[in-house]
Amino acid sequence: MSEGPKPPHIVVLGGGSAGWITACLLHHEWGARGGKVTVVESPAIGIIGVGEGSTPQLKAFFDLLGIAEREWMGACDATYKLGIRFTGWSETPGFESYFHPFPGPVDLHSEPGFAQNCALRRKGADVPAHPDDWFLASILAEQSKSPRAEETFPFAPSYGYHFDAHKLGTFLRDWAVGRGVEHRPLKVEEVELSGEQEIAALLCEGGERIEADFFVDCSGFASILSQQRLGTRFISFGENLFNDRAVVMPTAHSSTPRPQTDAIAMSAGWRWSIPLTSRVGNGYVYSSRHISDEDAEAELRAAIGTEKDAGEARLLHMKVGRVENSWTGNCLAAGLSQGFIEPLEATALHIVIYTATDFAKAFEAGGFTPKHRDTFNRRIAERYDGIRDYIVAHYRMNGRTDSDYWRENGANEALPEGLKAMITAWFTHEDIGSANREINGRTPAYPSLSWHCLLAGYGCFPDREKLQQLPAGIEAASLEDVRAMLQACARNFPDYDPLS
Ligand SMILES: Cc1cc2nc3c(=O)[nH]c(=O)nc-3n(C[C@H](O)[C@H](O)[C@H](O)COP(=O)(O)OP(=O)(O)OC[C@H]3O[C@@H](n4cnc5c(N)ncnc54)[C@H](O)[C@@H]3O)c2cc1C
């Protein structure tokens, strides 16, 4: 436990996933030193209740809090997630589908060969460079294996989870309250300021006034404290990302699911299929400029085989972008109140965890003053923008020609500079690892492995008929050797049936 000034009393407004994750992390950080955390939330307003896929950051969160998988996974209908399979985003023959894995230790051995072959194929050599062949996680997902290896094999891949968002919130609430976080189920009706950018208190239904030293706005898209009351500027990503709505509906399992999220292209967006132990979560994320709500629902129902009267569909509006500054005055925005990129890479809770953890470090390093606020805000903004660039690449590089939506995305020139630079680097044969560091910094939002998987996964290479044999003296990485190595590794992982 580090010494220092007494931590502040923090009030978190909102009891969705963002509110409880933030409360747990701040309590973990400062609770033992007398820091008090209170969560104020309105059960009548409720939570958004979507957001069922994670990155490995959620595992790091549970590990940090010392919560074992056996404690929370069953309670939240959770399953393992080794990565995302993208299907139908490209029409290039042989590249209609690819798997984006979470990078793990075994990839250190196979990634250099994949990058080498991508570089050769970018220059027109006829060498194998489809991402599915090169990474342990895609082999494990394909074979429906657990990401948890036998004890004798210490090189487990990184993995995330799928879970029920309502149950996750309830689990975290009970865990936090059991350890001293205060829970006030109250609706906030007004926010009292004490200065231009200082919140004094939340004025709640029934006349209660809740004061704190510091406030965290986890009030969802409403962004009651940050955007509404403090007037923090919202930067829209709408010109880069067209999707602004989603229609969601659960279905029963019709077969044993794989430990992966499926992201399948549709006529005006894409749909997810997320397996929980209790059901499959389905959602169609689309652009309301390109399809009506009714047609989107009908297209989703047709795709998942659900009749109109077989289950209720929920329509959600998405505000895509981020606040200019996550930390304003004595208020931090986290979760949907802070921003939302869109769910394609399931990064929202990832950013919540990153924001809360980084905030705790910055606030404490400044002696619980705003000394490091600007640096913190810059880092969070960079993380948002880095994720946005990677997600925009999925749309810009799509090879579909079958609808206005895909054609407009493919022709969109309103691209962030960093993304333009990455695409240029790919097509001008630069080394993608060096380009990524140069363009996106020393800790880029996505590693070069992810950029390789995306661009090679779409088949962004010269046309197949133009590919040539390798010139004498230049060697490609051996796919046979990599396959043998990965298959041998895969034998150390048990079968995984989330429904058993
Ligand atoms: C279509 C879609 C798909 C998504 N998929 C993913 C995904 O796969 N992975 C992922 O990580 N994220 C995903 N997300 C994002 C994810 O849903 C959110 O990041 C996550 O649920 C956290 O939401 P939140 O807690 O910020 O907001 P909410 O869940 O909306 O919670 C807001 C809280 O504020 C409270 N509140 C609001 N107003 C008041 C008031 N006046 N008084 C008191 N309390 C109030 C509410 O009661 C509630 O408790 C998705 C989002 C959408 C829209």
Side-chain angles (χ1 to χ4, degrees), residues 13-19 40-43 45-54 165 186-189 218-222 224 246 248 272 274 285 316-318 334-337 340 343 346-350 352:
L13 170 58
S17 308
V40 180
E41 54 115 5
S42 161
I45 293 174
I47 68 169
I48 192 161
V50 283
E52 301 184 326
S54 88
L186 288 169
K187 183 173 177 213
V188 171
E189 292 183 327
C218 294
S219 63
F221 281 129
I224 292 171
V248 300
W272 74 76
I274 290 188
V285 180
L316 296 165
H317 290 240
M318 306 188 307
L336 296 173
S337 77
F340 184 51
T347 46
L349 296 185
H350 178 108
V352 170

Side-chain angles (χ1 to χ4, degrees), residues 4-277:
K6 187 172 179 297
H9 173 209
I10 297 199
V11 164
V12 177
L13 170 58
S17 308
W20 286 112
I21 285 176
T22 305
C24 287
L25 284 170
L26 297 183
H27 177 76
H28 174 81
E29 207 60 46
W30 297 322
R33 280 189 278 148
K36 183 178 165 194
V37 179
T38 302
V39 175
V40 180
E41 54 115 5
S42 161
I45 293 174
I47 68 169
I48 192 161
V50 283
E52 301 184 326
S54 88
T55 66
Q57 195 87 3
L58 191 64
K59 181 173 186 319
F61 164 79
F62 279 115
D63 288 350
L64 179 73
L65 298 186
I67 303 174
E69 288 181 347
R70 65 176 181 283
E71 278 181 67
W72 77 271
M73 284 185 74
C76 301
D77 301 346
T79 65
Y80 291 128
K81 171 181 172 185
L82 280 155
I84 305 175
R85 174 155 293 285
F86 290 86
T87 301
W89 293 71
S90 163
E91 287 174 343
T92 305
F95 295 90
E96 295 86 355
S97 170
Y98 76 97
F99 190 84
H100 179 204
F102 299 123
V106 170
D107 303 332
L108 294 175
H109 300 280
S110 56
E111 188 194 353
F114 175 52
Q116 179 188 343
N117 280 16
C118 285
L120 292 170
R121 195 165 172 131
R122 283 192 276 151
K123 287 187 178 152
D126 190 5
V127 297
H130 191 294
D132 285 8
D133 296 319
W134 298 85
F135 297 105
L136 180 59
S138 45
I139 311 277
L140 295 177
E142 178 72 24
Q143 297 180 1
S144 289
K145 297 268 193 169
S146 163
R148 297 186 64 105
E150 311 286 354
E151 271 179 19
T152 47
F153 187 80
F155 308 110
S158 295
Y159 61 88
Y161 307 98
H162 306 117
F163 49 85
D164 180 307
H166 284 277
K167 290 184 177 176
L168 181 73
T170 306
F171 178 90
L172 293 177
R173 181 197 66 202
D174 293 347
W175 188 91
V177 170
R179 278 153 189 80
V181 170
E182 186 185 29
H183 179 209
R184 307 300 314 275
L186 288 169
K187 183 173 177 213
V188 171
E189 292 183 327
E190 268 186 64
V191 180
E192 186 184 308
L193 298 188
S194 60
E196 207 178 303
Q197 295 206 317
E198 291 289 313
I199 296 170
L202 307 183
L203 307 180
C204 303
E205 61 190 350
E208 192 153 349
R209 184 173 180 278
I210 298 180
E211 291 182 359
D213 303 312
F214 199 94
F215 294 82
V216 185
D217 185 352
C218 294
S219 63
F221 281 129
S223 195
I224 292 171
L225 307 182
S226 174
Q227 292 177 52
Q228 283 193 38
R229 197 67 177 102
L230 297 177
T232 308
R233 189 166 84 92
F234 183 79
I235 300 170
S236 169
F237 293 162
E239 103 177 315
N240 306 125
L241 292 166
F242 301 165
N243 297 342
D244 57 355
R245 293 207 188 155
V247 55
V248 300
M249 69 187 85
T251 49
H253 285 286
S254 57
S255 58
T256 307
R258 289 185 180 154
Q260 66 187 33
T261 296
D262 278 288
I264 302 153
M266 302 281 275
S267 74
W270 63 280
R271 73 178 169 94
W272 74 76
S273 171
I274 290 188
L276 310 187
T277 55

Side-chain angles (χ1 to χ4, degrees), residues 463-483:
D463 291 343
R464 178 167 286 182
E465 43 303 347
K466 292 191 186 138
L467 297 178
Q468 309 267 331
Q469 292 297 315
L470 272 176
I474 297 185
E475 279 197 32
S478 162
L479 182 54
E480 285 65 38
D481 291 352
V482 166
R483 270 203 184 122

